[in-house]
Every structure is written in structure tokens, then in C-alpha cells.
Amino acid sequence: MTPPFKVGIDGLNLALNRGTGVATYARTLARAIAGMGRAPDLIFGLPVPKSSPRDLRETLFFAELGRDDPADVVADAGPPKRGRLLVSPWSRRLIEVPVEGRVSAEAFADRIPSFSRLHSFGSLWSVAGRHFKRYNRFLTVTMPDPPAIMHWSYPVPIRLAGAVNIYTIHDLVPLRLPHTSLENKRLHDRMLRDCVRYGARICTVSEASRRDIIQFLGARDDHVVNCYQAIDPVPILSDRDIAGRLRALFDLAPQGYFLYFGAIEPKKNVGRLIEAYLASEVTTPLIIVGGRSWRSENELRLLGTPGSQILSGAARIRKLDYLPRRMLDVLVAGARGVLFPSLYEGFGLPVVEALARGVPTMTSTAGSLPEVAGGAALLVDPYDIAAIAAAIRALDTDTDLRATLCAAGPTQAARFSMETFSDSLSGLYQSLLSAAPSTGAAPHTPPKAAMA
């Protein structure tokens, strides 16, 4: 049944060519909303000039989306002009992008979920950041007939006028582990506190994150709702398909390797994982799949750098760049074990994806990871290299342990189904719409209703 209200979500992470777990969250959020009876409205930050002909906007939008790094695209090419360093205090009107089949968009099917309407505004995220830094208030955006609820899938200093605005805060990593990220910590803390202060609700993805938001941001207990996170459906692959594709694509055999997949950045603890793997002296290769990020060179230092001596054990470690989902699915399904000893996670999507496939998994005792893994994974202190090495040896040699973990994984992962996620979201949305109209009051409303 079609619900009597519309929901909007942002495309901040959907626009990324190399999506992260937050992009997966945004896609599953859109699918859950569509499953309630009406696909969401999407808001992007890609430049589609308001002066462009209406029937050309679809072409312009997908041209920008197809760039290598569309999240960094700005309205004018080249270095910013001096005038663009300033930002006005007024609201911004979003540009409607009619999508009527002008573009053959099959190539974007994995990134763009089903939607009702599409709007965009060039460099929206950076404009909002500069606006917040300059005026200490959220940027207001406007659109005709706004959705009843605007669900920002990530904390951003933006509100949609005429909607009940809610924000998902996935974790407090920049505040809890400040040495592992590049954010301006004072600005980030202030933005998160304003999300809590002015959002009708804060949505989050684990009880661990919920506790952090309440404890460190001063949120009321009833203001923060944990809806967890759904995982993408597990593709059905036969043992023969897995073996054939592993051999053809990666020259690997089923259960013949360990796997890490995720970003290569400090909080993921890849440097200690490599050190522990070498210390374990197992001969089963380790495959590392992930794009390089900030300080990735330090995490991968034991694999060697130009001009340095390569350790003999490092030959058993293969580093692969970001892979499309269909290829990564094959690697996960065929792994002897997934190794994910992260220093901190708000949810830990790779762990749940491995459990859903019945792949033995080792993860850490930090953040939400014990919560999402339940009793279906080996847990280690992520700072204890000897403990990580011992867990790797156990997964490599103990067939009974692997069988036990294989059996337990899918049952634990079933807790994070799309049905459960949809039910939680539906309850959250209904509670907001049944509350007093003042629930979604606008933060820091500009003194004049000027449009830029």
C-alpha cells in the first residue's frame, strides 16, 4: 500500500564511483523506503545549471555522475575564483532533474536506486560546509512539494525546508579515534551536536553507536533510534561457479586464501593485520582488497616501497585495488576466512556480509563489532598482534572451528535483513509524522527568505 507521505534521501555517497559501507547504507535505505510503497526523492550535489534546458538536465546529470570522482566536481572548472570562496547566508533552491529515459543509464544501476524524483545542486556538500563554518548554522535548501520526511543518510549541515529532517550518524570515529581521520575535529563535533539538537530524530546503526551519541553528544535517550543496517541480498553461487570464477579471475582456489576487504586507512588496522599474518607463519595466502586512502602507505609498509627490501613472507600477500561488487562477492564466498580486526566500527558491514555467506570470520572486540558478530566470529583485541596471529593460525588449521563458524554465520546475519530494517524505519517515520508539527522545526532559519 502506498504510504500517505514521501521520504527524501541524499545522494552524497551514492555519487561516489567507489562506494563505501555508507553508500551501501544509502542504497538499502532507498530500497527499504521503496518497499513501503513509494520510492524516495533523491538529492545530489552534482552541477546541473538552473539555466540549462529542462530536457537536457538528465544528460548533464549523468555526465557528471560518470566522472571518476563526481563528489569533487564543482560548477566551474579549474581553481576557484576569489568570489567563490565566499558563500551567501541565504537558502538554495534545488534544481529538478527530470529523468524520462533520454539517457541509457544501465551502467549506473548499481549506484542509483529506484526513485520518485531527482534534484541536484552543484557542490551542495562543500557549499553547506563553508556555510556552516561561516555562519554557524545549517544551510537551508528548498524544492517544490518537499517530502514529508528528509532522511539524510550521513551527518551534513543541511536541512530541507518544509520537511521533517532526520540524520543518520553512523559512528563517532573522528571524535573517539581522532588520529585516524582528517576532519576538522572542532567543526565536526559542532556539526554533530547541531544534528542532534535540530534533527527531529537521530538514526544510527548499532547499540554501540547509540550509546556513544548519547554519552558524548548529550543526546536524549528517546531521541536516538537504532535501526541497525540491512545488507545487500547474498547472490546465489554454486560451488562450481565460485571455483571457476576464482580460477579465471584471480588464479585462486576455493578456501585457498584469507581475505581482507575494506578501505586501506588507519582505523581498519591493516598494518597490524599484515604484521600478525606474517608472524602467524601460515602458508595460506592473504588477499587484501581495498582502495588506498589517507595514510595507506603506512598501513602497507611491510609490503615494501620503491627502493626498500621486500620481506620474504610478503610474497604470500596480494594487494588488489577496489573491485566491482560482482567480483568481490566471488572472493568473499570462496575465502577460507575473512579477517577484519578494525580498531572501531559503527556497524561493520564486511563482517555481516561474510557471516551471511557462511565464511569463517575473525574480527575485533572494539566498537559495534562484538554486537554485530554475536557468537558467530572469532573476536580479538585489535591492538594485540599476537592474538590476531593466533586467531589466523586457528582459522587456518582447525577444521572443526571453521565448520562451527560457517554454520553460525548465516543465522547471526539474518538479524540484519531488509525486512527487519524496513520495519524499524517504518516505525520511526510513523512516530515522527504522528508527533506534533513542531518536531521538525527548522534550525537557524535565515532572517529573509532569499533564494540563491
Side-chain angles (χ1 to χ4, degrees):
M1 178 180 296
T2 302
F5 59 88
K6 295 183 294 183
V7 180
I9 66 173
D10 63 280
L12 170 62
N13 288 282
L14 294 175
L16 296 175
N17 262 327
R18 300 185 172 190
T20 62
V22 180
T24 300
Y25 174 83
R27 287 195 302 271
T28 55
L29 177 63
R31 284 205 301 271
I33 293 167
M36 298 175 196
R38 185 165 190 166
D41 293 343
L42 300 182
I43 295 176
F44 281 82
L46 302 179
V48 180
K50 61 183 177 182
S51 60
S52 59
R54 181 181 173 87
D55 63 357
L56 184 61
R57 293 176 188 173
E58 180 179 355
T59 295
L60 297 177
F61 174 84
F62 283 102
E64 296 296 341
L65 189 65
R67 291 176 182 259
D68 287 341
D69 195 356
D72 291 335
V73 173
V74 294
D76 56 335
K81 299 176 183 179
R82 182 174 180 81
R84 290 195 177 273
L85 295 176
L86 303 176
V87 59
S88 73
W90 316 124
S91 61
R92 306 304 198 270
R93 183 183 293 277
L94 300 172
I95 307 302
E96 183 180 2
V97 181
V99 177
E100 299 167 340
R102 179 188 182 103
V103 173
S104 297
E106 289 83 357
F108 301 98
D110 291 341
R111 294 167 56 193
I112 304 296
S114 298
F115 59 88
S116 292
R117 296 182 299 171
L118 183 63
H119 286 76
S120 192
F121 185 90
S123 303
L124 176 60
W125 322 117
S126 60
V127 169
R130 298 202 307 273
H131 181 279
F132 183 66
K133 185 175 182 179
R134 173 68 178 83
Y135 300 108
N136 194 28
R137 65 189 185 202
F138 281 18
L139 176 71
T140 297
V141 295
T142 67
M143 61 185 286
D145 188 23
I149 293 173
M150 181 63 206
H151 191 154
W152 302 96
S153 67
Y154 198 76
V156 289
I158 309 175
R159 63 170 290 270
L160 176 62
V164 174
N165 289 265
I166 66 175
Y167 301 84
T168 292
I169 298 178
H170 296 261
D171 57 55
L172 299 189
V173 167
L175 306 181
R176 300 294 310 277
L177 280 77
H179 55 288
T180 67
S181 68
L182 283 169
E183 291 91 348
N184 178 318
K185 303 305 186 291
R186 288 186 177 182
L187 197 65
H188 190 73
D189 177 79
R190 181 153 53 88
M191 182 187 67
L192 292 179
R193 291 180 185 277
D194 275 3
C195 285
V196 169
R197 182 180 179 186
Y198 295 113
R201 290 288 190 281
I202 295 300
C203 185
T204 193
V205 294
S206 66
E207 287 301 311
S209 286
R210 183 175 181 274
R211 288 192 298 270
D212 280 355
I213 294 165
I214 293 170
Q215 179 179 356
F216 295 103
L217 299 181
R220 299 192 319 271
D221 185 78
D222 61 352
H223 194 67
V224 186
V225 180
N226 171 27
C227 292
Y228 282 112
Q229 177 172 350
I231 63 171
D232 286 326
V234 175
I236 300 175
L237 298 171
S238 69
D239 291 345
R240 182 176 179 180
D241 286 341
I242 294 170
R245 292 173 67 181
L246 281 175
R247 182 175 61 252
L249 294 173
F250 306 107
D251 194 25
L252 292 169
Q255 286 74 57
Y257 58 93
F258 288 110
L259 175 67
Y260 166 84
F261 63 101
I264 311 298
E265 60 184 8
K267 80 160 186 172
K268 300 298 186 182
N269 209 25
V270 176
R272 288 188 183 87
L273 172 61
I274 292 173
E275 185 177 352
Y277 170 80
L278 295 174
S280 74
E281 298 185 309
V282 302
T283 57
T284 303
L286 170 61
I287 311 299
I288 296 174
V289 179
R292 292 175 180 261
S293 187
W294 176 62
R295 293 182 65 185
S296 60
E297 293 80 6
N298 189 52
E299 296 297 301
L300 301 174
R301 63 190 180 279
L302 289 177
L303 300 187
T305 57
S308 67
Q309 182 179 357
I310 298 177
L311 301 176
S312 59
R316 302 194 305 276
I317 302 175
R318 289 170 55 184
K319 167 69 178 68
L320 301 176
D321 203 353
Y322 177 89
L323 291 176
R325 186 77 238 184
R326 63 185 181 277
M327 295 184 186
L328 183 59
D329 283 335
V330 174
L331 275 177
V332 176
R336 190 177 189 86
V338 164
L339 311 178
F340 195 77
S342 178
L343 297 180
Y344 205 88
E345 294 290 331
F347 182 71
L349 187 61
V351 170
V352 182
E353 290 178 336
L355 297 180
R357 290 164 174 80
V359 178
T361 301
M362 178 266 284
T363 190
S364 84
T365 55
S368 67
L369 291 167
E371 176 184 345
V372 299
L378 286 184
L379 300 181
V380 297
D381 179 343
Y383 295 95
D384 189 336
I385 292 170
I388 300 172
I392 294 172
R393 284 193 295 269
L395 285 177
D396 193 50
T397 60
D398 192 334
T399 56
D400 290 340
L401 172 63
R402 291 201 304 273
T404 298
L405 296 177
C406 285
T411 300
Q412 174 66 13
R415 296 181 56 207
F416 310 105
S417 68
M418 181 61 77
E419 292 76 17
T420 301
F421 185 48
S422 296
D423 288 345
S424 298
L425 286 172
S426 179
L428 170 60
Y429 296 159
Q430 293 290 350
S431 71
L432 288 169
L433 294 179
S434 63
S438 61
T439 301
H444 302 301
T445 304
K448 296 181 181 179
M451 303 297 175

